[in-house]
Amino acid sequence: MTSATLRRPHGVTTRGTTGINRLRRSDRWLVHDPLVRRALNDSADPVVVDLGYGARPHTTFELADRLTAVRRDRRVVGLEIDPERVVESRLGVSFARGGFELSGLRPVLVRAFNVLRQYPEEAVGPAWARMQAGLAPGGLIVDGTCDELGRRCAWVLLDTQGPLSLTLAWDPFDVERPSDIAARLPKALIHRNVPGEPVHALLATADLAWATAAPHGSFGPRVRWRTALELLRAQGIPVQHQRHRRRDNILTVPWSLVAPRATN
Ligand SMILES: C[S@@+](CC[C@H](N)C(=O)[O-])C[C@H]1O[C@@H](n2cnc3c(N)ncnc32)[C@H](O)[C@@H]1O
């Protein structure tokens, strides 16, 4: 391997689509998630990387702002593989060129949203491995996808060993049923929403719970979703408990429940 190959950021340039406040649901979840909070709070040097922030760095500033609720001294770095998109550092946030190798940083948290979506499914494993290798001890990765306005989102949380959980999050007033999020599943799962795959079964079960909870709809879609979550728990689905009342409707399950079936 030549030194030029070693220096080249790992990955490919993709479309830079982004938008103001597009990643708010994931940001809100991050500041409340116990694993993310612990990783940030336990870190001696809480570096956070926003990988692939796109044509404008709005979401990086928003992430930096929201994470102050957990660690005021967090250091946020936006990395972009496209050198044309690297902007001047400002408002306490730095920007640099970098890819899945994380540009030599040792972050405690990496957020890569709408990045892997434009890669082939086979690229996910190597990209995850590359980012995992760059994490600080106890570090976490959020690999997610959402629609243009951030109303329908899904993300995988990973640590250095592997994926931990899948979260679906949506605008309670914009989604008819949980399976509407299927089109926004992260790359690792989007091709697996077919009969026989665990994620397909989860979405069907969530839809049924949502339909069963319909009588609670008169109290609003958030109350209806809380009832649906209770129904899922009653069926033995290990849905993560939410300590806080949420603006968003959220479903978080262990990765083991949705991990794709091995293909030969
Ligand atoms: C669709 S934009 C996403 C912007 C923002 N994260 C969002 O969700 O609104 C994807 C960006 O990821 C960048 N990108 C793709 N692969 C990358 C990689 N391996 N490392 C860093 N940036 C990458 C692309 O250049 C593009 O600007």
Side-chain angles (χ1 to χ4, degrees):
M1 205 182 282
T2 65
S3 58
T5 314
L6 283 170
R7 279 199 309 271
R8 197 182 308 139
H10 185 82
V12 293
T13 300
T14 56
R15 283 190 309 277
T17 317
T18 187
I20 292 171
N21 234 358
R22 185 189 197 194
L23 306 184
R24 61 199 176 282
R25 287 177 220 286
S26 155
D27 288 350
R28 289 200 277 263
W29 184 86
L30 287 174
V31 299
H32 288 300
D33 181 72
L35 291 181
V36 174
R37 291 182 68 88
R38 192 173 67 199
L40 285 164
N41 282 321
D42 288 355
S43 171
D45 183 15
V47 174
V48 176
V49 164
D50 188 17
L51 188 73
Y53 54 83
R56 298 270 183 281
H58 309 297
T59 58
T60 314
F61 287 115
E62 291 157 2
L63 177 69
D65 187 37
R66 292 187 175 117
L67 288 181
T68 56
V70 186
R71 280 287 297 254
R72 287 207 72 77
D73 59 343
R74 87 278 169 280
R75 202 151 55 85
V76 176
V77 183
L79 292 180
E80 241 302 330
I81 202 159
D82 182 346
E84 300 285 311
R85 296 178 183 155
V86 177
V87 295
E88 292 279 304
S89 298
R90 62 181 196 274
L91 302 172
V93 179
S94 329
F95 297 94
R97 188 160 187 231
F100 296 126
E101 82 300 334
L102 307 178
S103 193
L105 297 166
R106 298 288 281 173
V108 70
L109 179 64
V110 176
R111 192 269 297 277
F113 235 88
N114 296 305
V115 174
L116 275 165
R117 183 180 179 79
Q118 296 177 64
Y119 284 69
E121 190 182 7
E122 317 77 73
V124 173
W128 280 358
R130 199 79 187 243
M131 291 188 280
Q132 286 169 306
L135 286 176
L140 297 169
I141 299 166
V142 178
D143 165 18
T145 309
C146 66
D147 63 4
E148 290 69 15
L149 298 178
R151 290 177 176 160
R152 297 154 196 235
C153 323
W155 56 86
V156 180
L157 180 72
L158 301 99
D159 67 7
T160 53
Q161 303 302 303
L164 300 172
S165 61
L166 170 73
T167 295
L168 310 181
W170 64 91
D171 180 340
F173 299 95
D174 186 56
V175 163
E176 267 183 41
R177 61 185 73 83
S179 63
D180 287 357
I181 312 304
R184 303 296 157 177
L185 284 170
K187 197 63 181 191
L189 292 175
I190 193 162
H191 302 287
R192 306 309 185 109
N193 186 30
V194 291
E197 285 285 346
V199 73
H200 185 267
L202 175 70
L203 290 173
T205 310
D207 278 357
L208 188 56
W210 176 247
T212 310
H216 296 260
S218 51
F219 302 107
R222 294 188 183 100
V223 172
R224 179 176 170 183
W225 180 241
R226 283 204 292 277
T227 307
L229 285 174
E230 289 308 323
L231 291 169
L232 290 172
R233 278 190 200 103
Q235 290 174 63
I237 311 264
V239 175
Q240 189 181 78
H241 279 274
Q242 294 168 18
R243 290 191 196 144
H244 301 266
R245 286 260 159 130
R246 297 291 176 104
R247 216 185 293 185
D248 311 316
N249 280 357
I250 290 180
L251 174 62
T252 297
V253 294
W255 178 255
S256 54
L257 194 80
V258 291
R261 290 196 160 175
T263 44
N264 299 321

